[in-house]
Amino acid sequence: MFRNHFGMIRILSCLVALAALEVVAVGCGSTCTYCTTTNVSACTVPAGMQYSLVYPVPSSTGNPTSLAQVVVATSGTLPPTWMSGNGWDVELNYTATGAYPGHALGGDFATIAPSAIPTPNATPSFSNPSYFTSTFSYAANANTPLPPGTSITATLNNLNSSFYPGVTIGTFST
């Protein structure tokens, strides 16, 4: 009976530890659809790839609270997993207050022609950029419009993993 008591404590301890790990993984904000292990280290981009926030312009102010899209430039083309199914998107992060949850998730990346990028926009510091957009729908996916007068951090978010936080690409304000 004494041995069984310690065995039960060990099992319960393992279950508590497993539950805590799951809470950490779920709390990261990303879904790991194809992963077999949980990894909560920061997201990274492919080695040598350059990236830049194009729209809204980095450090700009007075951007719409119901921003429809964020445009990112990259050097070269993106890996196929960045745009298929659960690829990559942009996550907008800010301080949560009241009805504002602290983030808004964009849709998977899609290519965008330079002529279709909203103005004003920034010019990437590297040559021959490829452009990608992540769109935001505030009614369809329960995003709340962004809070007015708030600093927003835009990050690249890998939907194929539980990596968190995303890669910061710039900040702007509403």
Side-chain angles (χ1 to χ4, degrees):
M1 180 104 160
F2 189 67
R3 179 183 293 159
N4 202 10
H5 176 70
F6 282 112
M8 188 63 121
I9 289 173
R10 182 202 260 155
I11 290 171
L12 288 174
S13 296
C14 289
L15 289 174
V16 168
L18 184 59
L21 181 60
E22 187 65 23
V23 166
V24 169
V26 170
C28 291
S30 296
T31 304
C32 184
T33 305
Y34 305 106
C35 301
T36 58
T37 61
T38 301
N39 186 344
V40 289
S41 60
C43 291
T44 59
V45 296
M49 179 174 280
Q50 295 176 299
Y51 51 89
S52 175
L53 178 63
V54 173
Y55 178 82
V57 174
S59 302
S60 62
T61 60
N63 290 288
T65 58
S66 55
L67 188 67
Q69 67 180 319
V70 171
V71 178
V72 175
T74 64
S75 59
T77 58
L78 295 177
T81 58
W82 280 44
M83 296 185 299
S84 61
N86 290 321
W88 284 64
D89 68 356
V90 170
E91 181 175 352
L92 302 177
N93 297 290
Y94 54 89
T95 301
T97 57
Y100 301 103
H103 68 277
L105 299 172
D108 285 1
F109 276 131
T111 57
I112 185 171
S115 60
I117 299 171
T119 55
N121 56 58
T123 302
S125 61
F126 45 89
S127 60
N128 301 316
S130 297
Y131 296 98
F132 301 90
T133 183
S134 183
T135 58
F136 291 81
S137 172
Y138 297 95
N141 63 5
N143 280 337
T144 301
L146 303 170
T150 301
S151 178
I152 310 292
T153 300
T155 63
L156 297 175
N157 183 39
N158 182 349
L159 297 169
N160 288 315
S161 75
S162 58
F163 291 99
Y164 189 83
V167 177
T168 298
I169 54 175
T171 60
F172 59 91
S173 297
T174 53

